[in-house]
Amino acid sequence: MLARLDENGLDQGPRHKAGAERFCAVAGTTAPVTAMIRFVLGPDGSVVPDLRRRLPGRGIWITGTRQALRAAVARKIFARSFKREVRVPPDLIDCVERLMEQAALDALSIAHKAAKVITGAARVEAAIAREPLLAILHAREAAADAARHLREAFRRRWPGRDVAVVEAFASSRLDLALGRPNVVHAALLAGPESETFLARAARLDRFRTEAKQERGVMSKRVRSAKNW
């Protein structure tokens, strides 16, 4: 289902239905809302990212990659679409990435409160022996050998099954999200809270990987067990 758009590509407001598609003001093509970022104008005419797609007012949609957003800034897409002078914050692209990362970590914190997160290499390995996990998380600083050991343990215990592997966050960020120090390895049990985190982590990964994602190359930071 396509959103109603005017001649400038503006939507009619934040309402949307699940599975809907939107028009990318940069690429000139449509894509699912999950692959897009909505932008509106603040009271002072500044460009504001609407990651939750709920801010009032008419907005434009841009493919959710740094590459697309850089193109939007360089080509003055915001001013052309809104048909007025706008203020683009100089750190807009980095701001969007920070918001995406925080949204993912907020979801991880909720999953932790729902008892869906296991921390510590030994506890993760013990959990692997009991049940197929939904995902394994490694901090960016994690030792390659330790991370590989956990992934191989899952593959041996659950041959033929997939598990998401997330390596998108620094240990310090995982510490804050989970309320404990020195989080290097963690795992997610199945549940809606975990699914929400994985969806947001994948969105962040698409934003960071830019053209790689467009070429169909799977990122190393959020991947499936089949790609070990």
mmCIF file of all heavy atoms in Angstrom, residues 124-125 128-129 136 138 144-161 163 165 223 225 227-228:
data_model
loop_
_atom_site.group_PDB
_atom_site.id
_atom_site.type_symbol
_atom_site.label_atom_id
_atom_site.label_comp_id
_atom_site.label_asym_id
_atom_site.label_seq_id
_atom_site.Cartn_x
_atom_site.Cartn_y
_atom_site.Cartn_z
ATOM 1 N N VAL A 124 26.258 -18.047 28.611
ATOM 2 C CA VAL A 124 25.775 -18.190 27.238
ATOM 3 C C VAL A 124 26.031 -19.605 26.735
ATOM 4 O O VAL A 124 25.153 -20.235 26.131
ATOM 5 C CB VAL A 124 26.445 -17.154 26.316
ATOM 6 C CG1 VAL A 124 26.122 -17.452 24.843
ATOM 7 C CG2 VAL A 124 25.996 -15.743 26.672
ATOM 8 N N GLU A 125 27.210 -20.129 27.005
ATOM 9 C CA GLU A 125 27.533 -21.489 26.555
ATOM 10 C C GLU A 125 26.610 -22.508 27.223
ATOM 11 O O GLU A 125 26.158 -23.463 26.575
ATOM 12 C CB GLU A 125 28.989 -21.806 26.846
ATOM 13 C CG GLU A 125 29.441 -23.122 26.242
ATOM 14 C CD GLU A 125 30.949 -23.291 26.244
ATOM 15 O OE1 GLU A 125 31.644 -22.463 26.854
ATOM 16 O OE2 GLU A 125 31.428 -24.266 25.624
ATOM 17 N N ILE A 128 23.267 -22.386 25.518
ATOM 18 C CA ILE A 128 23.309 -23.035 24.205
ATOM 19 C C ILE A 128 23.037 -24.536 24.352
ATOM 20 O O ILE A 128 22.352 -25.145 23.520
ATOM 21 C CB ILE A 128 24.668 -22.791 23.528
ATOM 22 C CG1 ILE A 128 24.773 -21.336 23.076
ATOM 23 C CG2 ILE A 128 24.875 -23.741 22.345
ATOM 24 C CD1 ILE A 128 26.148 -20.946 22.570
ATOM 25 N N ALA A 129 23.547 -25.130 25.412
ATOM 26 C CA ALA A 129 23.352 -26.567 25.620
ATOM 27 C C ALA A 129 21.900 -26.902 25.933
ATOM 28 O O ALA A 129 21.458 -28.037 25.707
ATOM 29 C CB ALA A 129 24.254 -27.055 26.751
ATOM 30 N N ILE A 136 23.124 -14.280 19.439
ATOM 31 C CA ILE A 136 24.319 -14.163 20.273
ATOM 32 C C ILE A 136 24.907 -12.785 20.040
ATOM 33 O O ILE A 136 25.042 -12.353 18.887
ATOM 34 C CB ILE A 136 25.352 -15.254 19.929
ATOM 35 C CG1 ILE A 136 24.764 -16.646 20.167
ATOM 36 C CG2 ILE A 136 26.617 -15.074 20.754
ATOM 37 C CD1 ILE A 136 25.680 -17.773 19.721
ATOM 38 N N HIS A 138 28.107 -10.101 20.718
ATOM 39 C CA HIS A 138 29.499 -9.902 21.098
ATOM 40 C C HIS A 138 29.792 -8.412 21.056
ATOM 41 O O HIS A 138 29.442 -7.741 20.072
ATOM 42 C CB HIS A 138 30.450 -10.611 20.136
ATOM 43 C CG HIS A 138 30.163 -12.072 19.934
ATOM 44 N ND1 HIS A 138 30.225 -12.989 20.959
ATOM 45 C CD2 HIS A 138 29.813 -12.767 18.824
ATOM 46 C CE1 HIS A 138 29.926 -14.190 20.488
ATOM 47 N NE2 HIS A 138 29.675 -14.085 19.198
ATOM 48 N N ALA A 144 38.304 -12.430 19.250
ATOM 49 C CA ALA A 144 37.770 -13.212 18.132
ATOM 50 C C ALA A 144 37.645 -14.690 18.488
ATOM 51 O O ALA A 144 36.672 -15.355 18.117
ATOM 52 C CB ALA A 144 38.651 -13.027 16.902
ATOM 53 N N ASP A 145 38.625 -15.226 19.228
ATOM 54 C CA ASP A 145 38.594 -16.652 19.556
ATOM 55 C C ASP A 145 37.411 -16.989 20.456
ATOM 56 O O ASP A 145 36.748 -18.023 20.276
ATOM 57 C CB ASP A 145 39.898 -17.058 20.241
ATOM 58 C CG ASP A 145 41.080 -17.091 19.282
ATOM 59 O OD1 ASP A 145 40.835 -17.044 18.059
ATOM 60 O OD2 ASP A 145 42.230 -17.156 19.756
ATOM 61 N N ALA A 146 37.136 -16.138 21.445
ATOM 62 C CA ALA A 146 36.030 -16.396 22.365
ATOM 63 C C ALA A 146 34.688 -16.311 21.637
ATOM 64 O O ALA A 146 33.795 -17.134 21.868
ATOM 65 C CB ALA A 146 36.074 -15.398 23.521
ATOM 66 N N ALA A 147 34.551 -15.329 20.756
ATOM 67 C CA ALA A 147 33.316 -15.194 19.997
ATOM 68 C C ALA A 147 33.114 -16.395 19.078
ATOM 69 O O ALA A 147 32.004 -16.944 18.974
ATOM 70 C CB ALA A 147 33.346 -13.900 19.183
ATOM 71 N N ARG A 148 34.184 -16.818 18.434
ATOM 72 C CA ARG A 148 34.095 -17.975 17.534
ATOM 73 C C ARG A 148 33.730 -19.241 18.310
ATOM 74 O O ARG A 148 32.942 -20.070 17.825
ATOM 75 C CB ARG A 148 35.422 -18.160 16.814
ATOM 76 C CG ARG A 148 35.381 -19.235 15.721
ATOM 77 C CD ARG A 148 36.732 -19.425 15.050
ATOM 78 N NE ARG A 148 37.285 -18.156 14.606
ATOM 79 C CZ ARG A 148 38.359 -17.570 15.136
ATOM 80 N NH1 ARG A 148 39.000 -18.164 16.145
ATOM 81 N NH2 ARG A 148 38.814 -16.434 14.676
ATOM 82 N N HIS A 149 34.267 -19.382 19.505
ATOM 83 C CA HIS A 149 33.975 -20.571 20.319
ATOM 84 C C HIS A 149 32.482 -20.692 20.603
ATOM 85 O O HIS A 149 31.907 -21.786 20.500
ATOM 86 C CB HIS A 149 34.754 -20.492 21.640
ATOM 87 C CG HIS A 149 34.402 -21.577 22.603
ATOM 88 N ND1 HIS A 149 34.862 -22.879 22.481
ATOM 89 C CD2 HIS A 149 33.610 -21.559 23.718
ATOM 90 C CE1 HIS A 149 34.363 -23.611 23.460
ATOM 91 N NE2 HIS A 149 33.613 -22.844 24.233
ATOM 92 N N LEU A 150 31.835 -19.589 20.956
ATOM 93 C CA LEU A 150 30.403 -19.631 21.253
ATOM 94 C C LEU A 150 29.585 -19.940 20.008
ATOM 95 O O LEU A 150 28.611 -20.704 20.058
ATOM 96 C CB LEU A 150 29.960 -18.301 21.860
ATOM 97 C CG LEU A 150 30.474 -18.014 23.279
ATOM 98 C CD1 LEU A 150 30.050 -16.627 23.717
ATOM 99 C CD2 LEU A 150 29.980 -19.064 24.255
ATOM 100 N N ARG A 151 29.961 -19.359 18.896
ATOM 101 C CA ARG A 151 29.216 -19.628 17.661
ATOM 102 C C ARG A 151 29.367 -21.082 17.228
ATOM 103 O O ARG A 151 28.414 -21.711 16.777
ATOM 104 C CB ARG A 151 29.667 -18.665 16.561
ATOM 105 C CG ARG A 151 29.395 -17.195 16.886
ATOM 106 C CD ARG A 151 29.482 -16.324 15.663
ATOM 107 N NE ARG A 151 30.808 -16.302 15.065
ATOM 108 C CZ ARG A 151 31.760 -15.407 15.366
ATOM 109 N NH1 ARG A 151 31.528 -14.491 16.291
ATOM 110 N NH2 ARG A 151 32.914 -15.431 14.759
ATOM 111 N N GLU A 152 30.565 -21.606 17.381
ATOM 112 C CA GLU A 152 30.785 -23.009 17.012
ATOM 113 C C GLU A 152 30.058 -23.946 17.968
ATOM 114 O O GLU A 152 29.570 -25.008 17.560
ATOM 115 C CB GLU A 152 32.276 -23.308 16.971
ATOM 116 C CG GLU A 152 32.990 -22.620 15.805
ATOM 117 C CD GLU A 152 34.491 -22.858 15.813
ATOM 118 O OE1 GLU A 152 35.000 -23.371 16.840
ATOM 119 O OE2 GLU A 152 35.138 -22.525 14.812
ATOM 120 N N ALA A 153 29.959 -23.560 19.240
ATOM 121 C CA ALA A 153 29.213 -24.369 20.203
ATOM 122 C C ALA A 153 27.745 -24.450 19.809
ATOM 123 O O ALA A 153 27.115 -25.509 19.904
ATOM 124 C CB ALA A 153 29.362 -23.777 21.605
ATOM 125 N N PHE A 154 27.201 -23.335 19.347
ATOM 126 C CA PHE A 154 25.810 -23.349 18.896
ATOM 127 C C PHE A 154 25.662 -24.240 17.663
ATOM 128 O O PHE A 154 24.718 -25.037 17.578
ATOM 129 C CB PHE A 154 25.352 -21.932 18.562
ATOM 130 C CG PHE A 154 23.908 -21.857 18.163
ATOM 131 C CD1 PHE A 154 22.934 -21.565 19.105
ATOM 132 C CD2 PHE A 154 23.498 -22.093 16.856
ATOM 133 C CE1 PHE A 154 21.586 -21.512 18.756
ATOM 134 C CE2 PHE A 154 22.168 -22.046 16.492
ATOM 135 C CZ PHE A 154 21.213 -21.754 17.440
ATOM 136 N N ARG A 155 26.574 -24.123 16.746
ATOM 137 C CA ARG A 155 26.468 -24.910 15.511
ATOM 138 C C ARG A 155 26.548 -26.410 15.796
ATOM 139 O O ARG A 155 25.829 -27.202 15.190
ATOM 140 C CB ARG A 155 27.581 -24.495 14.546
ATOM 141 C CG ARG A 155 27.523 -25.211 13.203
ATOM 142 C CD ARG A 155 28.541 -24.654 12.232
ATOM 143 N NE ARG A 155 29.887 -24.711 12.777
ATOM 144 C CZ ARG A 155 30.955 -24.215 12.149
ATOM 145 N NH1 ARG A 155 30.820 -23.610 10.978
ATOM 146 N NH2 ARG A 155 32.148 -24.310 12.689
ATOM 147 N N ARG A 156 27.429 -26.792 16.729
ATOM 148 C CA ARG A 156 27.529 -28.211 17.072
ATOM 149 C C ARG A 156 26.278 -28.719 17.774
ATOM 150 O O ARG A 156 25.809 -29.821 17.504
ATOM 151 C CB ARG A 156 28.754 -28.445 17.970
ATOM 152 C CG ARG A 156 30.086 -28.302 17.283
ATOM 153 C CD ARG A 156 31.201 -28.864 18.158
ATOM 154 N NE ARG A 156 31.260 -28.180 19.457
ATOM 155 C CZ ARG A 156 31.990 -27.093 19.693
ATOM 156 N NH1 ARG A 156 32.724 -26.570 18.719
ATOM 157 N NH2 ARG A 156 32.002 -26.547 20.885
ATOM 158 N N ARG A 157 25.734 -27.899 18.678
ATOM 159 C CA ARG A 157 24.564 -28.343 19.457
ATOM 160 C C ARG A 157 23.285 -28.311 18.635
ATOM 161 O O ARG A 157 22.402 -29.154 18.805
ATOM 162 C CB ARG A 157 24.411 -27.435 20.692
ATOM 163 C CG ARG A 157 23.194 -27.760 21.556
ATOM 164 C CD ARG A 157 23.314 -29.134 22.161
ATOM 165 N NE ARG A 157 22.138 -29.470 22.968
ATOM 166 C CZ ARG A 157 21.012 -30.005 22.507
ATOM 167 N NH1 ARG A 157 20.898 -30.273 21.200
ATOM 168 N NH2 ARG A 157 20.008 -30.273 23.306
ATOM 169 N N TRP A 158 23.176 -27.344 17.720
ATOM 170 C CA TRP A 158 21.946 -27.166 16.948
ATOM 171 C C TRP A 158 22.270 -27.118 15.454
ATOM 172 O O TRP A 158 22.106 -26.093 14.811
ATOM 173 C CB TRP A 158 21.224 -25.889 17.381
ATOM 174 C CG TRP A 158 20.950 -25.844 18.850
ATOM 175 C CD1 TRP A 158 21.663 -25.184 19.805
ATOM 176 C CD2 TRP A 158 19.891 -26.520 19.540
ATOM 177 N NE1 TRP A 158 21.124 -25.390 21.044
ATOM 178 C CE2 TRP A 158 20.029 -26.208 20.912
ATOM 179 C CE3 TRP A 158 18.846 -27.346 19.123
ATOM 180 C CZ2 TRP A 158 19.154 -26.702 21.874
ATOM 181 C CZ3 TRP A 158 17.969 -27.837 20.086
ATOM 182 C CH2 TRP A 158 18.123 -27.528 21.442
ATOM 183 N N PRO A 159 22.740 -28.219 14.888
ATOM 184 C CA PRO A 159 23.112 -28.216 13.459
ATOM 185 C C PRO A 159 21.914 -27.903 12.569
ATOM 186 O O PRO A 159 20.812 -28.394 12.793
ATOM 187 C CB PRO A 159 23.623 -29.644 13.231
ATOM 188 C CG PRO A 159 23.022 -30.457 14.334
ATOM 189 C CD PRO A 159 22.920 -29.540 15.514
ATOM 190 N N GLY A 160 22.153 -27.055 11.598
ATOM 191 C CA GLY A 160 21.095 -26.699 10.664
ATOM 192 C C GLY A 160 20.234 -25.535 11.113
ATOM 193 O O GLY A 160 19.426 -25.032 10.327
ATOM 194 N N ARG A 161 20.354 -25.101 12.363
ATOM 195 C CA ARG A 161 19.568 -23.968 12.851
ATOM 196 C C ARG A 161 20.329 -22.665 12.645
ATOM 197 O O ARG A 161 21.562 -22.637 12.636
ATOM 198 C CB ARG A 161 19.238 -24.126 14.338
ATOM 199 C CG ARG A 161 18.129 -25.123 14.633
ATOM 200 C CD ARG A 161 17.846 -25.123 16.125
ATOM 201 N NE ARG A 161 16.728 -25.994 16.475
ATOM 202 C CZ ARG A 161 15.483 -25.592 16.594
ATOM 203 N NH1 ARG A 161 15.167 -24.318 16.387
ATOM 204 N NH2 ARG A 161 14.534 -26.437 16.935
ATOM 205 N N VAL A 163 21.105 -18.686 13.908
ATOM 206 C CA VAL A 163 21.114 -17.785 15.051
ATOM 207 C C VAL A 163 21.684 -16.457 14.573
ATOM 208 O O VAL A 163 22.658 -16.420 13.822
ATOM 209 C CB VAL A 163 21.944 -18.344 16.229
ATOM 210 C CG1 VAL A 163 23.418 -18.482 15.869
ATOM 211 C CG2 VAL A 163 21.785 -17.473 17.466
ATOM 212 N N VAL A 165 23.800 -13.114 14.852
ATOM 213 C CA VAL A 165 25.011 -12.717 15.556
ATOM 214 C C VAL A 165 25.131 -11.203 15.449
ATOM 215 O O VAL A 165 25.160 -10.650 14.353
ATOM 216 C CB VAL A 165 26.268 -13.397 14.962
ATOM 217 C CG1 VAL A 165 27.527 -12.926 15.693
ATOM 218 C CG2 VAL A 165 26.139 -14.915 15.051
ATOM 219 N N ARG A 223 24.456 -10.950 11.446
ATOM 220 C CA ARG A 223 24.479 -11.974 10.408
ATOM 221 C C ARG A 223 23.864 -13.261 10.929
ATOM 222 O O ARG A 223 23.556 -13.412 12.094
ATOM 223 C CB ARG A 223 25.917 -12.215 9.960
ATOM 224 C CG ARG A 223 26.812 -12.745 11.077
ATOM 225 C CD ARG A 223 28.249 -12.797 10.616
ATOM 226 N NE ARG A 223 29.061 -13.352 11.697
ATOM 227 C CZ ARG A 223 30.254 -12.929 12.003
ATOM 228 N NH1 ARG A 223 30.795 -11.933 11.353
ATOM 229 N NH2 ARG A 223 30.949 -13.493 12.966
ATOM 230 N N ALA A 225 23.889 -17.579 11.347
ATOM 231 C CA ALA A 225 24.850 -18.641 11.591
ATOM 232 C C ALA A 225 25.320 -19.301 10.311
ATOM 233 O O ALA A 225 26.399 -19.887 10.259
ATOM 234 C CB ALA A 225 24.228 -19.691 12.518
ATOM 235 N N ASN A 227 26.498 -18.016 7.847
ATOM 236 C CA ASN A 227 27.616 -17.291 7.251
ATOM 237 C C ASN A 227 28.888 -17.381 8.086
ATOM 238 O O ASN A 227 29.783 -16.578 7.919
ATOM 239 C CB ASN A 227 27.216 -15.821 7.071
ATOM 240 C CG ASN A 227 26.077 -15.693 6.096
ATOM 241 O OD1 ASN A 227 26.253 -15.871 4.913
ATOM 242 N ND2 ASN A 227 24.881 -15.411 6.607
ATOM 243 N N TRP A 228 28.946 -18.329 8.996
ATOM 244 C CA TRP A 228 30.172 -18.458 9.783
ATOM 245 C C TRP A 228 31.309 -18.923 8.897
ATOM 246 O O TRP A 228 31.150 -19.744 8.034
ATOM 247 C CB TRP A 228 29.985 -19.457 10.917
ATOM 248 C CG TRP A 228 28.986 -18.988 11.939
ATOM 249 C CD1 TRP A 228 28.528 -17.723 12.116
ATOM 250 C CD2 TRP A 228 28.319 -19.778 12.896
ATOM 251 N NE1 TRP A 228 27.619 -17.655 13.117
ATOM 252 C CE2 TRP A 228 27.472 -18.915 13.625
ATOM 253 C CE3 TRP A 228 28.344 -21.119 13.223
ATOM 254 C CZ2 TRP A 228 26.683 -19.367 14.658
ATOM 255 C CZ3 TRP A 228 27.549 -21.550 14.250
ATOM 256 C CH2 TRP A 228 26.737 -20.697 14.961
#
